[in-house]
Amino acid sequence: MLRALFIVYAVASSALLDDATAADAETRAEHIVQLCAEHHRDAVGAAYPDAYHIRHLPSLRGLVVEATQAEVAALKSHEGVCNVARSHEVTHRPDAGRRLDVDALRRNNEWWGKSHNQGKPWNLDRVNGKLDGNDAFEVSSKGTNVFVLDTGLDTLHQEFEGDREVENVGSYSNFHPGGVWEDKEEWDLTSENRAWLKDNNDSDGHGTHCASTAAGKNYGIAPLANVYGMKVLPGGSEGVIVRALDRVYDLVKRKKVKGPTVVSMSLGGKCRDQDGNEGPGTKYCAFETHYARAIRDLRDIGVLTAIAAGNNGEDACEMAPGASRDAVTVGATNINDRITFFSDYGNCVDVMAPGENVAGAASSRE
């Protein structure tokens, strides 16, 4: 039935489209299809055998599909579909705050001085109080879990040593055209062309650096925390994150991961409405995007989501997922406790924290 609707819609529309518009209409883009009820899943999914099924996030249960404009129109008219929204592509933030590799820093006295205070990483020294050369924390991070949604994770880096779990639990595989989300449980780790995914799937370095500032043994806020990498930016650039958030919800809900859990995301993009248009308004960006709803679902089971406000020097309320009101959105300060020139700002920023000249780990595949 769906395929018939697609054909009828395409034929009726073709006479009204010029060549450029017609080509655009046939371009497939990722969409979130929200089902009105679970019993509609098979009927809607039959037309998309390669769809990813969102089965865990309560407010987004449905499918992630690659669809043309004609197919989207047909889906919206289906009795079993309550909503169809274009996926928001996100990128990791430009490194305006300078991403500094600890190994390279030791060979560069200038940058070592800018990233350290009295021999200690200045960001850790400042977070635990005043800049006094003491970067120790009174509260232990043992048993805490940090999911880092980014470009991947170099689990073999010395910053992640210790008696804790550090592993990659999900990835977009570059071995499949278009990118296919793969959970760790489905990986064939005996296969030579996939074995590296287990230990280091970060060819960009951004994810490894962010993970080390969160949970590195020398450069992290929570040096004893378990770290789980989720590669949502397959080429080190653009990606989408709903699949990963669905996976986190499932792992926590089934108690595969126990203890206080944080999702860390230093990524984002312009907030868009369900048709992909920019500027839908602050309320929509804060509560109604699929990112905002997924983050609210995670909050309801006790998972904290921390998101970088952004490095664009713009209003954070215009960004997604940073505008989500159920997340903790973090702006950037420098060593003088002033907002950096690049940090996003505004009412959607919940807290300011060190974000300039911050040292951390670099991936061996970078």
Side-chain angles (χ1 to χ4, degrees), residues 327-341:
V328 176
T329 301
V330 186
T333 57
N334 60 28
I335 197 169
N336 297 313
D337 283 344
R338 295 181 179 177
I339 186 171
T340 63
F341 72 91

PDB file of all heavy atoms in Angstrom, residues 327-341:
ATOM      1  N   ALA A 327      18.751  18.824  29.178  1.00  0.00           N
ATOM      2  CA  ALA A 327      20.192  18.580  29.185  1.00  0.00           C
ATOM      3  C   ALA A 327      20.879  19.668  30.004  1.00  0.00           C
ATOM      4  O   ALA A 327      20.284  20.693  30.332  1.00  0.00           O
ATOM      5  CB  ALA A 327      20.735  18.581  27.759  1.00  0.00           C
ATOM      6  N   VAL A 328      22.138  19.429  30.350  1.00  0.00           N
ATOM      7  CA  VAL A 328      22.983  20.469  30.938  1.00  0.00           C
ATOM      8  C   VAL A 328      23.873  20.988  29.816  1.00  0.00           C
ATOM      9  O   VAL A 328      24.736  20.267  29.308  1.00  0.00           O
ATOM     10  CB  VAL A 328      23.837  19.918  32.095  1.00  0.00           C
ATOM     11  CG1 VAL A 328      24.782  21.002  32.610  1.00  0.00           C
ATOM     12  CG2 VAL A 328      22.955  19.408  33.223  1.00  0.00           C
ATOM     13  N   THR A 329      23.638  22.223  29.407  1.00  0.00           N
ATOM     14  CA  THR A 329      24.367  22.819  28.295  1.00  0.00           C
ATOM     15  C   THR A 329      25.495  23.690  28.844  1.00  0.00           C
ATOM     16  O   THR A 329      25.262  24.552  29.697  1.00  0.00           O
ATOM     17  CB  THR A 329      23.418  23.644  27.413  1.00  0.00           C
ATOM     18  OG1 THR A 329      22.389  22.772  26.919  1.00  0.00           O
ATOM     19  CG2 THR A 329      24.153  24.264  26.240  1.00  0.00           C
ATOM     20  N   VAL A 330      26.709  23.445  28.348  1.00  0.00           N
ATOM     21  CA  VAL A 330      27.909  24.017  28.957  1.00  0.00           C
ATOM     22  C   VAL A 330      28.612  24.987  28.009  1.00  0.00           C
ATOM     23  O   VAL A 330      28.995  24.618  26.899  1.00  0.00           O
ATOM     24  CB  VAL A 330      28.892  22.899  29.364  1.00  0.00           C
ATOM     25  CG1 VAL A 330      30.073  23.485  30.144  1.00  0.00           C
ATOM     26  CG2 VAL A 330      28.181  21.830  30.193  1.00  0.00           C
ATOM     27  N   GLY A 331      28.780  26.231  28.463  1.00  0.00           N
ATOM     28  CA  GLY A 331      29.548  27.222  27.723  1.00  0.00           C
ATOM     29  C   GLY A 331      31.007  27.190  28.149  1.00  0.00           C
ATOM     30  O   GLY A 331      31.378  26.516  29.113  1.00  0.00           O
ATOM     31  N   ALA A 332      31.856  27.934  27.440  1.00  0.00           N
ATOM     32  CA  ALA A 332      33.302  27.857  27.663  1.00  0.00           C
ATOM     33  C   ALA A 332      33.864  29.145  28.258  1.00  0.00           C
ATOM     34  O   ALA A 332      33.537  30.247  27.814  1.00  0.00           O
ATOM     35  CB  ALA A 332      34.020  27.551  26.349  1.00  0.00           C
ATOM     36  N   THR A 333      34.736  28.980  29.263  1.00  0.00           N
ATOM     37  CA  THR A 333      35.466  30.104  29.851  1.00  0.00           C
ATOM     38  C   THR A 333      36.963  29.896  29.656  1.00  0.00           C
ATOM     39  O   THR A 333      37.423  28.787  29.384  1.00  0.00           O
ATOM     40  CB  THR A 333      35.178  30.235  31.358  1.00  0.00           C
ATOM     41  OG1 THR A 333      35.507  28.993  32.012  1.00  0.00           O
ATOM     42  CG2 THR A 333      33.718  30.569  31.601  1.00  0.00           C
ATOM     43  N   ASN A 334      37.724  30.987  29.836  1.00  0.00           N
ATOM     44  CA  ASN A 334      39.176  30.884  29.750  1.00  0.00           C
ATOM     45  C   ASN A 334      39.791  30.919  31.148  1.00  0.00           C
ATOM     46  O   ASN A 334      39.078  30.938  32.155  1.00  0.00           O
ATOM     47  CB  ASN A 334      39.748  31.987  28.854  1.00  0.00           C
ATOM     48  CG  ASN A 334      39.419  33.388  29.367  1.00  0.00           C
ATOM     49  OD1 ASN A 334      39.233  33.608  30.570  1.00  0.00           O
ATOM     50  ND2 ASN A 334      39.348  34.344  28.454  1.00  0.00           N
ATOM     51  N   ILE A 335      41.097  30.943  31.210  1.00  0.00           N
ATOM     52  CA  ILE A 335      41.791  30.856  32.492  1.00  0.00           C
ATOM     53  C   ILE A 335      41.527  32.076  33.378  1.00  0.00           C
ATOM     54  O   ILE A 335      41.735  32.037  34.593  1.00  0.00           O
ATOM     55  CB  ILE A 335      43.312  30.670  32.259  1.00  0.00           C
ATOM     56  CG1 ILE A 335      43.996  30.151  33.535  1.00  0.00           C
ATOM     57  CG2 ILE A 335      43.943  31.965  31.748  1.00  0.00           C
ATOM     58  CD1 ILE A 335      45.421  29.692  33.304  1.00  0.00           C
ATOM     59  N   ASN A 336      41.006  33.157  32.791  1.00  0.00           N
ATOM     60  CA  ASN A 336      40.683  34.368  33.552  1.00  0.00           C
ATOM     61  C   ASN A 336      39.212  34.425  33.959  1.00  0.00           C
ATOM     62  O   ASN A 336      38.716  35.472  34.378  1.00  0.00           O
ATOM     63  CB  ASN A 336      41.036  35.608  32.723  1.00  0.00           C
ATOM     64  CG  ASN A 336      42.519  35.688  32.422  1.00  0.00           C
ATOM     65  OD1 ASN A 336      43.357  35.515  33.310  1.00  0.00           O
ATOM     66  ND2 ASN A 336      42.858  35.934  31.155  1.00  0.00           N
ATOM     67  N   ASP A 337      38.508  33.297  33.837  1.00  0.00           N
ATOM     68  CA  ASP A 337      37.091  33.197  34.201  1.00  0.00           C
ATOM     69  C   ASP A 337      36.196  34.086  33.347  1.00  0.00           C
ATOM     70  O   ASP A 337      35.125  34.521  33.789  1.00  0.00           O
ATOM     71  CB  ASP A 337      36.867  33.527  35.686  1.00  0.00           C
ATOM     72  CG  ASP A 337      37.272  32.383  36.597  1.00  0.00           C
ATOM     73  OD1 ASP A 337      37.429  31.258  36.092  1.00  0.00           O
ATOM     74  OD2 ASP A 337      37.428  32.605  37.805  1.00  0.00           O
ATOM     75  N   ARG A 338      36.597  34.336  32.126  1.00  0.00           N
ATOM     76  CA  ARG A 338      35.776  35.114  31.206  1.00  0.00           C
ATOM     77  C   ARG A 338      35.291  34.214  30.081  1.00  0.00           C
ATOM     78  O   ARG A 338      35.994  33.283  29.668  1.00  0.00           O
ATOM     79  CB  ARG A 338      36.579  36.285  30.633  1.00  0.00           C
ATOM     80  CG  ARG A 338      36.975  37.315  31.695  1.00  0.00           C
ATOM     81  CD  ARG A 338      37.749  38.467  31.093  1.00  0.00           C
ATOM     82  NE  ARG A 338      38.094  39.463  32.107  1.00  0.00           N
ATOM     83  CZ  ARG A 338      38.816  40.547  31.871  1.00  0.00           C
ATOM     84  NH1 ARG A 338      39.285  40.772  30.640  1.00  0.00           N
ATOM     85  NH2 ARG A 338      39.080  41.398  32.849  1.00  0.00           N
ATOM     86  N   ILE A 339      34.101  34.491  29.596  1.00  0.00           N
ATOM     87  CA  ILE A 339      33.578  33.708  28.490  1.00  0.00           C
ATOM     88  C   ILE A 339      34.501  33.867  27.291  1.00  0.00           C
ATOM     89  O   ILE A 339      34.987  34.964  27.002  1.00  0.00           O
ATOM     90  CB  ILE A 339      32.131  34.136  28.140  1.00  0.00           C
ATOM     91  CG1 ILE A 339      31.548  33.201  27.066  1.00  0.00           C
ATOM     92  CG2 ILE A 339      32.063  35.587  27.721  1.00  0.00           C
ATOM     93  CD1 ILE A 339      30.065  33.417  26.825  1.00  0.00           C
ATOM     94  N   THR A 340      34.790  32.768  26.618  1.00  0.00           N
ATOM     95  CA  THR A 340      35.682  32.830  25.467  1.00  0.00           C
ATOM     96  C   THR A 340      34.990  33.531  24.301  1.00  0.00           C
ATOM     97  O   THR A 340      33.758  33.597  24.237  1.00  0.00           O
ATOM     98  CB  THR A 340      36.097  31.417  25.026  1.00  0.00           C
ATOM     99  OG1 THR A 340      34.924  30.704  24.603  1.00  0.00           O
ATOM    100  CG2 THR A 340      36.758  30.661  26.173  1.00  0.00           C
ATOM    101  N   PHE A 341      35.784  34.022  23.370  1.00  0.00           N
ATOM    102  CA  PHE A 341      35.216  34.753  22.234  1.00  0.00           C
ATOM    103  C   PHE A 341      34.375  33.847  21.348  1.00  0.00           C
ATOM    104  O   PHE A 341      33.492  34.310  20.623  1.00  0.00           O
ATOM    105  CB  PHE A 341      36.338  35.387  21.400  1.00  0.00           C
ATOM    106  CG  PHE A 341      37.147  34.399  20.598  1.00  0.00           C
ATOM    107  CD1 PHE A 341      36.788  34.065  19.297  1.00  0.00           C
ATOM    108  CD2 PHE A 341      38.274  33.794  21.151  1.00  0.00           C
ATOM    109  CE1 PHE A 341      37.536  33.149  18.563  1.00  0.00           C
ATOM    110  CE2 PHE A 341      39.020  32.879  20.420  1.00  0.00           C
ATOM    111  CZ  PHE A 341      38.654  32.553  19.132  1.00  0.00           C
TER     112      PHE A 341
END
